[in-house]
Amino acid sequence: MEMLRISERDIRRHAPSTALSACWRQWRAERRLARGGVHFRGTDCQAIADAYAAMSDQDFDAINARQDWANWRTIPRAMSTHVPDRPLRVIDLGCGAGSSTRVLAFYCPAGSRITGYELVPALLDVACRRAYRHRDGRPADVAFVCQPVTDELRARDGGRLPDGSVDLAKASGIVGHHLSAQSVQPLIGELRRVILPDGIAMLDVGPELPADVLTPLLAGHGFTHLGSKKSWFLDPTAQLIFCRQSTTGTA
Ligand SMILES: C[S@@+](CC[C@H](N)C(=O)[O-])C[C@H]1O[C@@H](n2cnc3c(N)ncnc32)[C@H](O)[C@@H]1O
């Protein structure tokens, strides 16, 4: 099977180059929001939803600026050589205002179908207003579902997302920042259900859920760890890449 290949040259050409200003914007916005009592870090789902809902579009862009900078590097690196070069069915978990969805739309093979999942309706309103284009300039097939990713995953039409209907599940800035070893369990069960055998899950790790905790949880549900990718070598977070095994003796 032909695999998707994305060169480092292409990644560097399309990625934003302003890391320092992204970090500075994020730091200032986070400090201002904290002074106003808005704290979005943590794993309490309701508190997270309230905090993100209290932000303006500009606040969210600012606190997500470093994540957006990293996404344009980490996501294509993780996809390259790990997913087939054919139209893919993709889910973007915790897609926020759609900035990670834009990266997926840009790099997924033409004809792919990408569905973003997000907890906060106001962020999805922003995501729905954005344009999503493939590298060739054509519009990408993108739609969104408003729900917690820890619930049973729904399809675009509101029904249950069918078993074995996803080639690639991707999360950035959510699993490692907003889920715990306990709250991630239903999501892992859903990934096991909806991802096709030999399909790929690319999940972020971070302060709340580090790699040494997440990897055995995925292994226990029949996912093989293929490796990890970072935006740059000092990035404290990373995207772990897992392949859903075709057969397993696990629960
Ligand atoms: C740091 S933002 C990252 C957004 C986007 N993935 C990106 O990389 O630009 C984290 C997002 O995850 C969402 N989120 C957090 N917990 C969630 C949950 N349990 N279900 C769905 N979305 C969630 C937040 O509302 C927020 O939009």
Side-chain angles (χ1 to χ4, degrees):
M1 188 192 327
E2 182 104 8
M3 302 306 273
L4 180 69
R5 286 177 193 278
I6 306 167
S7 70
E8 266 305 307
R9 201 160 150 251
D10 268 356
I11 293 172
R12 292 219 180 91
R13 191 168 50 182
H14 296 296
S17 58
T18 52
L20 272 180
S21 70
C23 291
W24 174 240
R25 266 181 81 204
Q26 172 171 356
W27 183 79
R28 282 197 335 179
E30 195 165 339
R31 192 179 57 158
R32 186 168 33 76
L33 286 164
R35 284 182 177 155
V38 178
H39 302 279
F40 61 90
R41 297 194 183 273
T43 57
D44 177 326
C45 193
Q46 189 55 55
I48 295 163
D50 291 346
Y52 280 115
M55 294 179 195
S56 67
D57 299 356
Q58 292 77 11
D59 288 338
F60 182 80
D61 263 3
I63 63 100
N64 205 49
R66 196 213 65 84
Q67 182 69 53
D68 186 47
W69 182 90
N71 285 343
W72 282 95
R73 292 161 172 81
T74 317
I75 295 172
R77 281 182 192 144
M79 286 172 64
S80 184
T81 72
H82 290 123
V83 296
D85 194 3
R86 58 158 171 80
L88 302 170
R89 288 152 299 171
V90 182
I91 56 176
D92 184 11
L93 303 161
C95 62
S99 52
S100 51
T101 320
R102 280 182 68 207
V103 182
L104 286 169
F106 190 80
Y107 281 111
C108 282
S112 295
R113 184 181 154 90
I114 303 162
T115 307
Y117 290 82
E118 170 56 44
L119 186 62
V120 179
L123 292 177
L124 269 196
D125 284 348
V126 179
C128 288
R129 291 198 300 268
R130 296 179 97 151
Y132 298 89
R133 295 202 175 275
H134 183 260
R135 274 190 280 181
D136 65 12
R138 278 182 291 173
D141 178 350
V142 170
F144 297 97
V145 176
C146 192
Q147 68 156 92
V149 299
T150 45
D151 285 358
E152 183 178 83
L153 294 172
R154 297 201 308 267
R156 292 175 175 195
D157 65 5
R160 184 180 195 241
L161 190 62
D163 296 0
S165 61
V166 170
D167 299 292
L168 170 64
K170 194 282 308 165
S172 44
I174 166 170
V175 174
H177 287 83
H178 294 310
L179 298 181
S180 65
Q182 199 176 352
S183 62
V184 78
Q185 296 278 0
L187 173 60
I188 297 175
E190 279 296 274
L191 294 179
R192 170 79 202 159
R193 181 179 75 75
V194 300
I195 296 178
L196 281 162
D198 297 325
I200 294 291
M202 299 178 352
L203 306 179
D204 62 294
V205 286
E208 302 292 350
L209 199 40
D212 60 346
V213 178
L214 186 66
T215 305
L217 293 177
L218 268 289
H221 284 75
F223 285 88
T224 306
H225 182 213
L226 301 181
S228 67
K229 296 290 174 188
K230 287 183 169 224
S231 59
W232 69 302
F233 76 106
L234 286 179
D235 190 342
T237 68
Q239 190 117 58
L240 303 195
I241 305 150
F242 299 93
C243 179
R244 183 196 182 286
Q245 293 158 10
S246 318
T247 54
T248 178
T250 57

